[in-house]
Amino acid sequence: MWGPGGRLARVWHNKALRATALAGLLSLSGLIILALVREQTGTKGFLVGLGLAVLPVPLIIAVFRWLDRVDPKPWRNLLFAFAWGACAATLVALIANGFATEWLMTTVDSSSPTGQADADAWGATFVAPFVEESAKAAAVLLLFLFRRRDFNGLVDGVVVAGITATGFAFTENILYLGSAFVSDQTLGYSGIRSTTAATFFIRAVMSPFAHPLFTSMTGVGFGIAAAAARHQRARRVLIPIAMLLTAMVLHGVWNGSATLGGYGFLIVYALFMVPVFGLLTWLTIWSRTKELRAIREQLTAYQTAGWLTPPEPIALSSMRARGIARDLARRTHGAAAARTVGEYTAFATSLALLRRRAYRGTAGPDFTTREKELLDRLWERRETAQPALAHAALSVPLPRPRHVPRPAPGTMPAPFWPAGPYDGGYAYGYGQPSHDDGPHGPYTQQPPYATYALPPSYAPQLPQHPAPPQPPQAAPVPYGSVRPQPRP
């Protein structure tokens, strides 16, 4: 049944069926968690908690999207991560924490006069971090396994984990804020001195990134595993487990600080949580800079083969140059041209990261097919995107050359490696016209980005070797009418 062609194997490999089952599971979890929260807070408390809990969510998501600007993840992945954190992970945590608290109360109550307080403290410090971080890590693991193409490094792990934790904190804040509002209504408190205001200040103003910080440690582990070579199996297994344990420890320290009183909480917040948050922010930005450098290095091979013009690897490795290229295309040719430049940038980034995975031996068997597909998509958008990128490259200082290590023997698949789009090793004005080419034949002397008044340093240098031979019966081919074909 599970073998090739078996009934269960066909059901498992049906992507539409899997997506439907996952959506049904998340929807059912959402309905159950909605009913549980509304039962504890009431309808009015639920609406107040919902209105206050949603306020920090756009800011947190915007921060993670800013970190993910180099290679933005598909919205469906981020929507799944948020829904898993808000529905499935919260439901698991609510049920498991309830059972654990009851067990602790029956165990601690007989030996301590303050059994209720001790059970709550033990549950918050030791049980809740284990349950909640494991439930949130499941979303990162699922995307790591089933959306491996979109999981390239540390930044991707941090973003996915952060969005998952944002969804979890959103539902948790509804419960806490709704319960605080019900308490204030019962005791007659209102305004700034109310429990609702204090809860909102602590959870949404002082520590909106608390849950994202904890779960991002798990994301760092999966990001390092994604960047590891295929033969580093121990690293790919042990590091995610170690970082998950780190997330649990951070979560336990944060929850345990609430039992230390006001000053103890502030000391842990200032001397422990803030430095860890700063370290994670620096690590993520450093990793993003490293990704940009890898994009320039990997795209240089395609520029040498003639698929890209010389300024493109430089422009595509700078976020500022990317923005300038889109703005220039929008001012010159409208919003559609700006979208084309954005698509070209996204495909070129995917191509560079795909080739980097091939250097590590983790590209997979579809490397050649995927590479050809990305090159074809670049080819379709070159006339609009390349002039804007060539102009934007003028704003980027020339990088110093770096030594790029060769891949380990046997790890690099055979790439789709044509001699060039026009069989001459050069493209877009880099070859001499053949004997039967007219003034507008495939080898034109005019560079396609000359309309942007580039300096001579970016003008194409014509090679000195003769043009490739053409069959006598071949008819002239209009410029850009055919795509390059793969060669053995």
Side-chain angles (χ1 to χ4, degrees), residues 397-443:
L398 293 178
R400 290 184 293 181
R402 296 177 66 252
H403 173 69
V404 180
R406 292 184 177 274
T411 61
M412 185 73 174
F416 176 64
W417 212 212
Y422 294 109
D423 292 336
Y426 295 87
Y428 317 128
Y430 282 71
Q432 295 282 1
S434 61
H435 59 85
D436 57 350
D437 288 334
H440 301 289
Y443 289 102

Side-chain angles (χ1 to χ4, degrees), residues 246-262:
T246 303
M248 295 176 183
V249 171
L250 286 176
H251 198 160
V253 170
W254 173 256
N255 288 355
S257 66
T259 63
L260 301 177

Side-chain angles (χ1 to χ4, degrees), residues 312-377:
E312 287 181 73
I314 300 174
L316 292 169
S317 63
S318 168
M319 299 306 300
R320 181 170 180 266
R322 291 183 179 194
I324 291 175
R326 288 193 300 270
D327 292 341
L328 178 61
R330 183 180 294 106
R331 292 196 306 268
T332 307
H333 300 293
R339 286 193 300 270
T340 301
V341 173
E343 293 171 354
Y344 189 93
T345 300
F347 291 138
T349 302
S350 299
L351 180 63
L353 297 179
L354 175 68
R355 188 170 181 84
R356 186 177 67 169
R357 290 201 303 271
Y359 267 76
R360 296 167 176 167
T362 59
D366 62 338
F367 169 78
T368 303
T369 303
R370 178 64 175 162
E371 185 184 34
K372 183 181 183 302
E373 176 187 349
L374 291 171
L375 285 171
D376 287 342
R377 292 184 179 182

Side-chain angles (χ1 to χ4, degrees), residues 13-393:
H13 290 293
N14 190 327
K15 294 183 178 180
L17 185 60
R18 286 189 311 194
T20 303
L22 185 61
L25 174 63
L26 292 177
S27 300
L28 180 61
S29 301
L31 292 175
I32 295 175
I33 197 69
L34 174 64
L36 292 176
V37 172
R38 184 177 174 275
E39 181 182 359
Q40 296 189 34
T41 62
T43 302
K44 192 173 182 180
F46 172 79
L47 294 177
V48 171
L50 176 64
L52 294 176
V54 78
L55 293 179
V57 171
L59 171 64
I60 301 173
I61 292 180
V63 170
F64 283 110
R65 289 295 288 177
W66 177 80
L67 292 174
D68 198 33
R69 286 193 306 162
V70 175
D71 183 30
K73 297 295 149 291
W75 275 105
R76 63 177 181 272
N77 292 4
L78 302 183
L79 181 61
F80 161 76
F82 186 88
W84 182 277
C87 301
T90 312
L91 179 62
V92 171
L94 192 62
I95 296 175
N97 287 340
F99 281 114
T101 302
E102 291 182 4
W103 178 80
L104 286 173
M105 286 179 61
T106 58
T107 303
V108 178
D109 209 14
S110 59
S111 59
S112 173
T114 57
Q116 177 69 40
D118 290 344
D120 291 339
W122 279 78
T125 306
F126 298 102
V127 178
F130 176 81
V131 173
E132 295 176 5
E133 295 306 322
S134 299
K136 289 182 286 184
V140 187
L141 176 62
L142 289 174
L143 289 174
F144 180 81
L145 294 177
F146 295 101
R147 288 291 183 266
R148 188 65 180 82
R149 180 182 294 180
D150 302 323
F151 215 115
N152 296 300
L154 188 145
V155 177
D156 298 334
V158 170
V159 170
V160 169
I163 295 294
T164 304
T166 302
F168 185 92
F170 168 67
T171 304
E172 194 178 59
N173 285 342
I174 296 176
L175 178 61
Y176 279 100
L177 291 168
S179 301
F181 177 78
V182 172
S183 176
D184 289 336
Q185 292 292 306
T186 304
L187 300 176
Y189 295 150
S190 62
I192 299 179
R193 300 182 62 182
S194 64
T195 308
T196 305
T199 304
F200 179 81
F201 177 76
I202 293 175
R203 298 187 64 87
V205 178
M206 283 191 64
S207 58
F209 288 95
H211 274 287
L213 173 62
F214 309 146
T215 314
S216 292
M217 296 299 166
T218 306
V220 169
F222 279 99
I224 295 175
R230 185 178 296 275
H231 65 275
Q232 298 173 323
R233 295 183 179 179
R235 180 179 178 183
R236 299 173 67 185
V237 174
L238 296 179
I239 290 183
I241 296 176
M243 296 307 296
L244 173 60
L245 296 176
T246 303
M248 295 176 183
V249 171
L250 286 176
H251 198 160
V253 170
W254 173 256
N255 288 355
S257 66
T259 63
L260 301 177
Y263 290 107
F265 171 79
L266 292 176
I267 290 174
V268 172
Y269 180 83
L271 300 182
F272 186 72
M273 303 304 295
V274 172
V276 172
F277 178 77
L279 179 62
L280 178 65
T281 304
W282 172 84
L283 181 63
T284 306
I285 295 176
W286 172 82
S287 180
R288 193 179 74 168
T289 304
K290 190 176 179 181
E291 279 189 353
L292 289 171
R293 186 166 61 243
I295 289 172
R296 182 179 67 244
E297 294 170 351
Q298 299 299 334
L299 291 182
T300 301
Y302 297 100
Q303 179 261 314
T304 304
W307 288 94
L308 305 177
T309 55
E312 287 181 73
I314 300 174
L316 292 169
S317 63
S318 168
M319 299 306 300
R320 181 170 180 266
R322 291 183 179 194
I324 291 175
R326 288 193 300 270
D327 292 341
L328 178 61
R330 183 180 294 106
R331 292 196 306 268
T332 307
H333 300 293
R339 286 193 300 270
T340 301
V341 173
E343 293 171 354
Y344 189 93
T345 300
F347 291 138
T349 302
S350 299
L351 180 63
L353 297 179
L354 175 68
R355 188 170 181 84
R356 186 177 67 169
R357 290 201 303 271
Y359 267 76
R360 296 167 176 167
T362 59
D366 62 338
F367 169 78
T368 303
T369 303
R370 178 64 175 162
E371 185 184 34
K372 183 181 183 302
E373 176 187 349
L374 291 171
L375 285 171
D376 287 342
R377 292 184 179 182
L378 290 177
W379 182 261
E380 295 168 355
R381 295 162 175 81
R382 70 193 187 283
E383 294 182 357
T384 301
Q386 287 181 342
L389 289 169
H391 180 84

Side-chain angles (χ1 to χ4, degrees), residues 406-484:
R406 292 184 177 274
T411 61
M412 185 73 174
F416 176 64
W417 212 212
Y422 294 109
D423 292 336
Y426 295 87
Y428 317 128
Y430 282 71
Q432 295 282 1
S434 61
H435 59 85
D436 57 350
D437 288 334
H440 301 289
Y443 289 102
T444 172
Q445 300 277 350
Q446 180 70 16
Y449 42 82
T451 55
Y452 287 85
L454 298 178
S457 60
Y458 283 105
Q461 302 297 323
L462 298 179
Q464 300 301 321
H465 58 75
Q470 300 287 339
Q473 69 275 13
V477 182
Y479 176 79
S481 61
V482 294
R483 297 179 182 176

